[in-house]
Amino acid sequence: MSRIRLLTPSRFGIFGMGTVALAGLLMTACGGGSPSQASPSGAPLVVGVVEARSGASTFYSTETVQAVELAVVQVNKSGGILNRQVTLIHADDQSDPNLSVLAAQRLVDQGAKAILFTSGSASTLQARIVCTQQRIPCIAPTNVNAKIIAPPNNDYVFLVANAGDATVVALVGAIHAAGYKRLAFYTDASATATGTAGAYEQAFKKADPNISIVDKEFVPVAASDATAALIRIRDAKPDVVVMPGSADASIEALYHTTASRLGMQLPVFSTTSLQQPQIWKLAGKTLDGTVYTDNLSTKNSETQKVEKLFHNKYGADAPFIGFHANAWDAVFLLKHAFEAAGTTGDGTAVRNALEKTTGFTSSWGQPGYKLNYSHDRHTGASIEGAMKGIVMRVFKDGKPGPEWSVYQPS
Amino acid sequence: MEPQLFVAIVVTGCFYALLGLAYFLIFRSTTNLNFAIGGYAMFAALAAAYLSAERGLQLAFVIPIAAAATVLLALLGEIVVGRRKAVGELGAVMAIVAYLFVIQQVAGILFGRAARQGPGVFPGASIQLLGVIVPADTVLEIAVTGVFFFVVWVWLIRGRYGRMLRAVGDNASAARRLGVPVERVRILAVGLAGVSAAVGGLFVGPLAGLTSEAGLAYSLYGFTAAVLGGFGSAWGPLIGGMALSILQVEAVRYLGSPYLDYVTLLVVLLILKLRPTGMLA
């Protein structure tokens, strides 16, 4: 069952509205839309959201939807899109790719002119055919699987976040910079995590034949103890432990708490999975010193603007993470494309406008990072400087800390 | 064996044993294999984590509330699902598995989908034993598990209702004719099983983050412990739980992490084929 949420400024509060109005001007300018404070008077523009309210994708889907709603409030506050207020409708795929096609089709049947996929990559892969068949633009803000934008049925679907292969390249660069040769892999035993680990292994070996994977530990989901796995890692004598993206936050946290108890002090490199605040809660300060790939830079002023709006709406303690910035950009990319196309009724024209979007100032990545799309490239990561969407950071006091001084992708 | 591995075996074994005891109690009183038991343990752990972190309740309130909610869940399972004898054994098993998934969904709605870590009784405290760091909560878990098993064993041997439970398990019809309050005995056993699962959940919660979807795995581990130990004695699940834990930890240590589940499933297959009555038949 889908539901409709009409997002109006009244849900925001007076304090938030003031800040939003100020930042709205800035964001509209950087997003390419035309600034307008007039209330939208046209018929609502319906945007569908495929989300996961249960299952493995729930966490990042929930976080992504939060930022989508925040961005839509902002868009409506600044005049909507082509004088139309944006209305979100939602459909739950329960993290099940088999249900995502139905969810997307239901949204189209209810009048959606564009779809945001916030569930897992596997769901988007299944459901993107609806975008092609119905000829409506679709954006998967946080998905990283490059297959989503590969043929077939890729002509109406777009990515915002860096594709996973870019993260691998960044991590390879970091490992190189640190001079590590003996790697141990640790992640959960889910299909997603083990598949990602395989891709990382190939990338590491291709990048440097001298790098060896001395141990691989895939800990079953729901495990309450990882002592034996960590002792295996310790005995393999690696230079560094690499965590190539856990699907289960608790398994990654379990490494850090167990290592602390065992007195293991091996360097740990992780990926965007460490953006999940639940890991911060579970592992606390045992995360300190871990180097990982983030999307957010402490030095990016665009990030800081969106972060401020986010905290105004969801509270100062609500962690602002890369998923939020990706989702924010997705909404403003849609706004830009609809306005560039000059119509809400021609999905192909909007798709074409998205393909022509270049120099779109991103709210994430290293300072000055731009998103550039083309007919052949439906991911915003620029061909030149693509790696600048990734920021290597170090955990400090149990939270994401400063940029890593040894290496930054370029 | 590395001393730290020994600690890991005992901690995990106690958890499996408590789950296995819950299976034992329900099986001996109803002849049902209640595959929702892992869900009960998960619910207790998440309820405690939620009440502590989100509601700010003290542990003195968290533990009884979480345990009571779990017992109610177990009783509800028995009343609503477990007594559907009309649908046959297969139907009853399917109904109880469906109940497990309902519990997982309800827990997800009530406590959120993100992983939560339960509150420890002595958070951060540990003792040094033969050069090994042993968390104080682990010492407590071992003590409570031992006492719990001893009390249940004494109750079954000497307690009035404990002896009735054994009679009901052996032949419910005959017990009813002899005036044994069969339904009351079953409710008592199911309630006690709920307590056992809750105690297990309350101890496993602080070890690592867990989500509402952990119930299925816990049910499998508890079932394996019960089958391995057998349904002949209350000590069976304790022996089964420890044996399963030893096999799992050693499999991971010497073969690798993926072998944990392989070994678990292999043990289930072998024990059902070679000694279906378990070690303590």
Side-chain angles (χ1 to χ4, degrees):
Chain A
M1 183 71 76
S2 58
R3 65 205 157 97
I4 296 179
R5 291 183 200 156
L6 198 60
L7 292 165
T8 61
S10 61
R11 291 184 63 178
F12 227 158
I14 292 170
F15 177 72
M17 283 165 55
T19 314
V20 163
L22 176 63
L25 288 171
L26 297 166
M27 291 313 302
T28 307
C30 77
S34 56
S36 165
Q37 292 300 314
S39 295
S41 55
L45 170 62
V46 179
V47 173
V49 180
V50 174
E51 63 183 14
R53 284 179 232 152
S54 60
S57 306
T58 311
F59 164 70
Y60 51 83
S61 180
T62 306
E63 297 293 332
T64 306
V65 171
Q66 274 190 337
V68 165
E69 291 178 345
L70 174 66
V72 167
V73 169
Q74 172 55 26
V75 165
N76 287 338
K77 177 69 183 165
S78 62
I81 296 177
L82 295 173
N83 199 31
R84 294 167 183 265
Q85 179 158 290
V86 177
T87 301
L88 292 176
I89 58 173
H90 301 249
D92 180 14
D93 78 348
Q94 300 170 39
S95 304
D96 183 349
N98 296 320
L99 297 179
S100 57
V101 177
L102 289 173
Q105 186 59 52
R106 199 182 313 135
L107 293 171
V108 173
D109 293 344
Q110 292 176 352
K113 301 296 183 190
I115 292 178
L116 296 169
F117 288 110
T118 69
S119 189
S121 287
S123 289
T124 307
L125 265 171
Q126 289 275 45
R128 63 181 179 159
I129 191 170
V130 175
C131 314
T132 299
Q133 287 176 344
Q134 301 296 331
R135 296 183 180 177
I136 60 168
C138 299
I139 301 181
T142 55
N143 289 162
V144 296
N145 190 333
K147 288 180 184 170
I148 291 171
I149 51 169
N153 300 317
N154 62 329
D155 39 359
Y156 281 79
V157 66
F158 295 80
L159 297 181
V160 176
N162 279 304
D165 49 2
T167 306
V168 179
V169 173
L171 214 54
V172 168
I175 296 282
H176 250 303
Y180 297 134
K181 298 292 181 192
R182 293 171 59 82
L183 277 51
F185 280 7
Y186 171 97
T187 187
D188 64 75
S190 67
T192 302
T194 52
T196 307
Y200 272 68
E201 185 173 0
Q202 286 180 0
F204 278 121
K205 287 180 175 173
K206 190 177 171 186
D208 185 349
N210 294 321
I211 285 179
S212 58
I213 313 297
V214 296
D215 188 34
K216 289 184 279 190
E217 297 300 327
F218 301 130
V219 177
V221 173
S224 57
D225 184 87
T227 306
L230 264 69
I231 287 177
R232 279 177 64 83
I233 289 175
R234 185 194 65 193
D235 291 354
K237 296 184 170 43
D239 296 329
V240 63
V241 177
V242 177
M243 300 188 180
S246 298
D248 187 325
S250 59
I251 296 301
E252 189 155 345
L254 190 58
Y255 174 91
H256 295 281
T257 52
T258 307
S260 172
R261 183 165 51 80
L262 295 176
M264 284 171 61
Q265 294 182 329
L266 285 167
V268 178
F269 278 37
S270 186
T271 59
T272 44
S273 59
L274 266 191
Q275 289 186 30
Q276 301 177 63
Q278 54 182 303
I279 299 186
W280 314 347
K281 278 186 190 172
L282 295 172
K285 290 187 177 181
T286 61
L287 283 167
D288 286 2
T290 300
V291 178
Y292 76 108
T293 57
D294 203 334
N295 292 137
L296 302 182
S297 165
T298 57
K299 299 168 184 169
N300 189 333
S301 58
E302 299 300 328
T303 302
Q304 289 163 1
K305 288 172 194 167
V306 182
E307 185 175 8
K308 189 174 179 185
L309 290 171
F310 185 85
H311 285 151
N312 285 342
K313 180 166 173 65
Y314 295 111
D317 294 333
F320 181 75
I321 57 179
F323 296 147
H324 298 132
N326 298 150
W328 176 277
D329 281 359
V331 172
F332 277 89
L333 277 166
L334 275 181
K335 174 179 166 64
H336 164 75
F338 273 111
E339 291 177 345
T343 175
T344 59
D346 184 351
T348 302
V350 180
R351 186 276 310 266
N352 293 342
L354 270 173
E355 288 182 339
K356 289 175 184 165
T357 301
T358 57
F360 185 95
T361 302
S362 167
S363 65
W364 50 280
Q366 296 176 31
Y369 182 58
K370 309 273 187 195
L371 300 178
N372 295 303
Y373 292 87
S374 70
H375 177 69
D376 299 322
R377 192 173 170 82
H378 280 200
T379 175
S382 320
I383 297 169
E384 290 179 13
M387 301 308 297
K388 285 188 178 293
I390 296 172
V391 183
M392 302 298 301
R393 294 175 70 177
V394 190
F395 264 79
K396 187 179 177 187
D397 296 327
K399 297 272 174 63
E403 272 84 340
W404 193 37
S405 59
V406 178
Y407 168 81
Q408 288 298 325
S410 59
Chain B
M1 183 192 296
E2 291 90 339
Q4 285 289 3
L5 280 185
F6 181 74
V7 175
I9 285 169
V10 174
V11 168
T12 310
C14 285
F15 175 54
Y16 292 169
L18 288 164
L19 296 180
L21 183 61
Y23 272 95
F24 172 88
L25 288 164
I26 293 180
F27 183 79
R28 285 307 303 262
S29 60
T30 67
T31 67
N32 281 342
L33 283 169
N34 189 318
F35 289 102
I37 279 165
Y40 303 159
M42 171 276 296
F43 193 90
L46 283 184
Y50 175 82
L51 292 171
S52 174
E54 305 295 334
R55 299 291 168 188
L57 291 184
Q58 297 294 314
L59 210 57
F61 297 102
V62 166
I63 290 174
I65 292 173
T70 307
V71 169
L72 284 175
L73 215 55
L75 293 174
L76 193 67
E78 171 59 17
I79 292 166
V80 176
V81 182
R83 294 188 182 184
R84 292 168 61 89
K85 288 291 183 190
V87 296
E89 279 190 17
L90 180 62
V93 169
M94 288 173 69
I96 203 73
V97 170
Y99 187 56
L100 168 64
F101 288 117
V102 169
I103 292 170
Q104 294 196 156
Q105 288 300 320
V106 169
I109 293 166
L110 290 177
F111 311 127
R113 308 283 177 185
R116 287 184 180 277
Q117 193 162 18
V121 178
F122 307 111
S126 60
I127 58 170
Q128 192 96 2
L129 200 64
L130 301 173
V132 178
I133 299 169
V134 183
D137 279 340
T138 296
V139 178
L140 183 66
E141 180 185 5
I142 295 166
V144 169
T145 303
V147 169
F148 198 87
F149 267 84
F150 182 75
V151 168
V152 170
W153 176 69
V154 169
W155 178 70
L156 285 171
I157 299 295
R158 300 187 183 280
R160 184 168 167 240
Y161 275 91
R163 283 180 292 173
M164 286 185 192
L165 183 143
R166 289 162 60 203
V168 170
D170 290 340
N171 191 329
S173 304
R176 191 174 278 117
R177 277 191 220 107
L178 290 170
V180 173
V182 173
E183 299 310 319
R184 203 184 306 163
V185 169
R186 283 178 171 166
I187 289 292
L188 192 62
V190 169
L192 197 56
V195 174
S196 187
V199 172
L202 290 168
F203 277 119
V204 84
L207 296 178
L210 77 155
T211 67
S212 57
E213 293 176 20
L216 185 60
Y218 291 172
S219 284
L220 174 65
Y221 298 148
F223 169 70
T224 310
V227 170
L228 201 53
F231 292 95
S233 162
W235 295 108
L238 183 62
I239 292 171
M242 289 300 166
L244 176 63
S245 181
I246 291 169
L247 285 169
Q248 286 187 340
V249 170
E250 293 300 323
V252 172
R253 174 70 182 88
Y254 294 106
L255 300 174
S257 296
Y259 287 86
L260 188 150
D261 280 341
Y262 302 157
V263 164
T264 305
L265 295 171
L266 186 66
V267 165
V268 173
L269 287 175
L270 287 177
I271 200 79
L272 289 176
K273 174 70 180 170
L274 302 175
R275 195 174 169 83
T277 51
M279 287 192 281
L280 295 186

